Amino acid sequence: MIASVRGHVLALRLDAAVVEVGGVGLLLQATPATLAGLRLGAEAELATSLVVREDALTLFGFADADERDVFEVVQTVSGIGPRLALAMLAVHTPDGLRVAVAGADLTALMKVPGIGRKGAQRIVLELTDRLGAPSGAPPLAAAAAASASWRDQVVEALVGLGWSAKQAGDAVEAVAGDADADAPSGATGGSGGPDVAGTLRAALRHLGRSA
């Protein structure tokens, strides 16, 4: 694992940079924001993630370790590879992704090219408890983002999965009481509100039983 590189910037492209390390020029794929912070001939230090494939070794560079860690975590979602993970960080900052996932903001996630509604729903379901709270926001602010209009968020997700608005609404109401009662302390950043992803899973189970 190559965790970081430091050296002079030999070349800059729209999607990558070449950094000289020990006389070797390393090509690093990076987001436009990361590349904008580099200067030709200047020394740069980037956190990195090495992706190994049968036919290629690709090195990705990041402005800091947090961005790299988010890049690696989002790839644990089914269907998200390194290119799409990098596109997510090109559209959203790490904290922006945290807020979008915590608040089940499907519209924000769908701004990333290649991510549709079902992909956004899958990201919310699989990453809700894995990205953590935004590092630049107080816990209460993150909690507010997670709990705002949670019923509407769950209904919208169910409709996107093919259920009618009435079926979705009835299912959410059926499990809402349990979601409120079962929400662990800090499940939505300490707000005491229900966990959106957990409520969605409960609603899906309810719909499956009533089908």
Side-chain angles (χ1 to χ4, degrees), residues 30-179:
T31 66
T34 296
L35 295 170
L38 305 179
R39 296 292 180 268
L40 281 174
E43 187 175 80
E45 182 171 6
L46 297 173
T48 59
S49 179
L50 179 63
V51 176
V52 180
R53 295 287 186 267
E54 290 184 0
D55 58 347
L57 298 176
T58 306
L59 195 59
F60 293 84
F62 306 92
D64 54 42
D66 183 46
E67 190 175 52
R68 177 196 60 208
D69 293 345
V70 170
F71 170 79
E72 293 177 346
V73 169
V74 298
Q75 288 180 72
T76 63
V77 177
S78 175
I80 304 293
R83 298 295 178 184
L84 191 51
L86 193 67
M88 293 172 69
L89 287 166
V91 175
H92 299 289
T93 64
D95 274 358
L97 280 176
R98 290 186 177 101
V99 170
V101 170
D105 189 345
L106 303 183
T107 300
L109 294 171
M110 289 167 59
K111 290 180 179 178
V112 179
I115 295 181
R117 180 168 296 276
K118 289 188 177 180
Q121 292 164 345
R122 187 164 58 247
I123 289 168
V124 170
L125 283 171
E126 297 187 27
L127 294 184
T128 295
D129 300 322
R130 303 195 60 191
L131 286 180
S135 59
L140 289 179
S147 60
S149 303
W150 66 270
R151 281 182 171 82
D152 291 341
Q153 293 163 12
V154 177
V155 169
E156 182 181 6
L158 291 171
V159 171
L161 290 171
W163 304 97
S164 71
K166 185 179 186 307
Q167 288 174 316
D170 289 346
V172 171
E173 289 306 314
V175 302
D178 292 338

Side-chain angles (χ1 to χ4, degrees), residues 14-33:
L14 292 176
D15 60 348
V18 177
V19 177
E20 183 181 22
V21 180
V24 177
L26 299 178
L27 179 68
L28 293 93
Q29 306 291 323
T31 66

